[in-house]
């Protein structure tokens, strides 16, 4: 797909529109220098290397190169890699922590076979959506696939007691051509009510630091914390979900036949 900035009008991308307003005026994909200029100051790997976006493919294994040199292979005029660069700008601590955990497992167990933790980290890095909520029952209802209850009946609580923030760059890429069936992986985070009084930038900083700590404490040592999240059901992300009938499709809003054990 060629460059176009109309995607920013979709609710899925409202955060990008607000946090990277220059995207709307770009006539082509942002250059690597432009993407680098949007990074938080002193965005570093955990070995202290400054993150830089480079067009060249990795000379060594991707995660090792990023850790040791700070060079993140980023194809120019490529949606997937552009969104990955924006993820580094939004979640510098968590992205660096994910990279470090990959490298730690490679050092301990070798490149192949991949560890369960590396599989979990990759799945989240590509397809993860953070769902902070001050009401644990809402998070549990999502994990139990009570879609209509949380997305429709409780939709007025979105933005006040619960919200969704995209982490995975593949989620943004897939959202460019939405289809019924578009699903991500939910990573629930319990927050205090005061979280929802923070500005958007403050929320991202809080989520970044919280996520990095949770990763350090083993939150993604396996896939237990991740569960399906039908993206088109999130209030504000798809116009059709304002109608209760939208949730009548069991092929998309699938019931959970076996209840998940609470986290």
């Amino acid at each position: 797909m060629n460059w176009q900035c109309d995607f920013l009008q979709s609710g899925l991308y409202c955060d990008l529109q607000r946090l990277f307003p220059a995207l709307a005026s770009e006539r082509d994909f942002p250059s690597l220098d432009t993407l680098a200029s949007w990074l938080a100051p002193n965005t570093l790997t955990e070995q202290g290397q400054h993150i830089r976006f480079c067009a060249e493919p990795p000379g060594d294994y991707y995660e090792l190169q990023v850790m040791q040199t700070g060079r993140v292979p980023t194809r120019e005029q490529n949606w997937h890699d552009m969104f990955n660069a924006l993820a580094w700008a939004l979640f510098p601590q968590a992205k660096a922590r994910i990279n470090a955990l990959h490298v730690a497992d490679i050092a301990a167990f070798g490149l192949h076979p991949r560890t369960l933790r590396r599989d979990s980290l990759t799945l989240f890095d590509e397809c993860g959506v953070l769902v902070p909520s001050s009401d644990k029952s809402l998070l549990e209802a999502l994990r139990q696939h009570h879609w209509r209850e949380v997305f429709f009946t409780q939709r007025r609580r979105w933005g006040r007691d619960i919200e969704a923030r995209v982490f995975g760059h593949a989620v943004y890429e897939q959202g460019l051509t939405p289809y019924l069936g578009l699903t991500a992986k939910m990573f629930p985070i319990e927050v205090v009510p005061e979280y929802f009084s923070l500005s958007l930038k403050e929320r991202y900083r809080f989520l970044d630091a919280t996520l990095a700590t949770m990763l350090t404490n083993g939150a993604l040592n396996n896939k237990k914390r991740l569960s399906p999240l039908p993206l088109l059901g999130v209030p504000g992300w798809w116009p059709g979900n304002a109608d209760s009938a939208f949730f009548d499709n069991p092929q998309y809003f699938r019931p959970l036949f076996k209840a998940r054990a609470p986290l």
Side-chain angles (χ1 to χ4, degrees):
M1 180 187 295
N2 295 327
W3 174 256
Q4 48 81 19
C5 57
D6 292 346
F7 73 94
L8 292 168
Q9 304 306 312
S10 169
L12 179 66
Y13 302 94
C14 64
D15 287 358
L16 300 187
Q17 184 181 40
R18 293 171 61 185
L19 296 173
F20 305 101
L23 274 174
S25 59
E26 293 286 341
R27 295 186 177 182
D28 202 346
F29 286 87
S31 69
L32 300 189
D33 286 342
T34 296
L35 291 172
S37 74
W38 294 342
L39 290 171
N42 293 320
T43 299
L44 308 172
T45 72
E46 293 197 4
Q47 283 190 358
Q49 301 297 321
H50 285 270
I51 292 297
R52 296 169 292 154
F53 303 120
C54 62
E56 299 80 14
D60 200 344
Y61 187 73
Y62 180 96
E63 299 291 352
L64 293 175
Q65 174 175 303
V66 173
M67 170 67 86
Q68 295 168 359
T69 70
R71 297 170 71 249
V72 179
T74 306
R75 293 164 292 185
E76 297 180 277
Q77 299 191 324
N78 181 278
W79 289 102
H80 188 86
D81 289 4
M82 181 194 77
F83 288 131
N84 183 52
L86 295 180
W88 271 100
L90 292 171
F91 300 101
Q93 294 183 59
K95 290 286 283 187
R97 183 89 282 254
I98 287 173
N99 172 244
L101 292 173
H102 273 291
V103 172
D105 275 14
I106 291 170
F109 306 105
L111 282 173
H112 303 290
R114 291 170 61 92
T115 62
L116 179 58
R117 180 166 72 171
R118 288 184 63 211
D119 282 343
S120 302
L121 291 168
T122 299
L123 181 63
F124 174 71
D125 196 25
E126 295 278 347
C127 304
V129 173
L130 301 175
V131 181
S133 179
S134 57
D135 186 341
K136 185 177 181 180
S137 69
L138 292 174
L139 296 175
E140 185 58 25
L142 285 175
R143 295 187 74 248
Q144 300 300 332
H145 292 201
H146 298 164
W147 310 121
R148 191 191 308 272
E149 170 65 21
V150 184
F151 287 148
F152 184 76
T153 305
Q154 303 284 348
R155 68 187 295 109
R156 292 185 179 180
R157 300 185 66 183
W158 286 79
R160 299 187 310 180
D161 305 302
I162 188 171
E163 65 181 12
R165 303 290 177 197
V166 174
F167 184 94
H169 47 288
V171 174
Y172 278 136
E173 183 184 25
Q174 292 172 353
L176 296 171
T177 53
Y179 58 93
L180 201 61
L182 187 60
T183 302
K185 291 297 183 181
M186 179 182 81
F187 186 103
I189 298 181
E190 295 180 46
V191 297
V192 297
E194 290 75 17
Y195 165 87
F196 292 95
S197 299
L198 299 175
S199 70
L200 184 61
K201 288 184 178 180
E202 289 170 336
R203 293 186 198 191
Y204 270 95
R205 285 195 290 267
F206 173 85
L207 292 174
D208 182 34
T210 299
L211 177 58
T213 298
M214 294 176 72
L215 293 173
T216 298
N217 293 335
L220 281 177
N221 285 353
N222 54 53
K223 301 175 185 177
K224 179 182 177 182
R225 182 171 289 273
L226 301 176
S227 60
L229 185 73
L231 290 178
L232 301 190
V234 176
W237 284 9
W238 187 250
N241 66 36
D243 185 347
S244 176
F246 183 69
F247 299 94
D248 290 342
N249 184 345
Q251 296 303 311
Y252 185 34
F253 298 103
R254 297 183 178 184
L256 188 66
F257 294 106
K258 183 178 180 180
R260 296 179 184 274
L263 287 174

